[in-house]
Amino acid sequence: MAGPVQQEMERLLTDAFAPTRLEVINDSASHAGHSGDDGSGESHFTVVIEAPAFAGKSRLERQRMVNKALGDIPGERVHALAIQASAPTG
């Protein structure tokens, strides 16, 4: 079951990009006891997102777009966020 932060991330990214693929993966259990683990169970995530909005954008531009859409979540409410953003092919 997705926690509240994961659900909010999914909603924000869906609203911002209407993705053709979206996975918000909670990696927190793999980092239990490590730096940044706040005990919430929602401290580390991987986002895999594919959306037409990323067409023609560099990797850095795509990451900035995702971070902007997520507002205060990265860095303030989530310790670590890995982003894999791409445009649909074909």
Side-chain angles (χ1 to χ4, degrees), residues 21-79:
R21 177 179 179 207
L22 176 62
E23 293 179 63
V24 178
I25 304 157
N26 186 338
D27 300 318
S28 301
S30 300
H31 299 275
H34 297 174
S35 175
D37 174 29
D38 61 4
S40 70
E42 291 192 292
S43 59
H44 295 71
F45 287 91
T46 297
V47 169
V48 179
I49 184 169
E50 179 182 275
F54 299 129
K57 305 289 188 205
S58 71
R59 184 175 143 265
L60 181 59
E61 288 171 316
R62 294 188 304 261
Q63 290 181 344
R64 286 179 176 159
M65 291 167 70
V66 169
N67 280 319
K68 183 177 179 183
L70 292 175
D72 73 336
I73 293 174
E76 291 187 32
R77 296 167 48 200
V78 168
H79 174 72

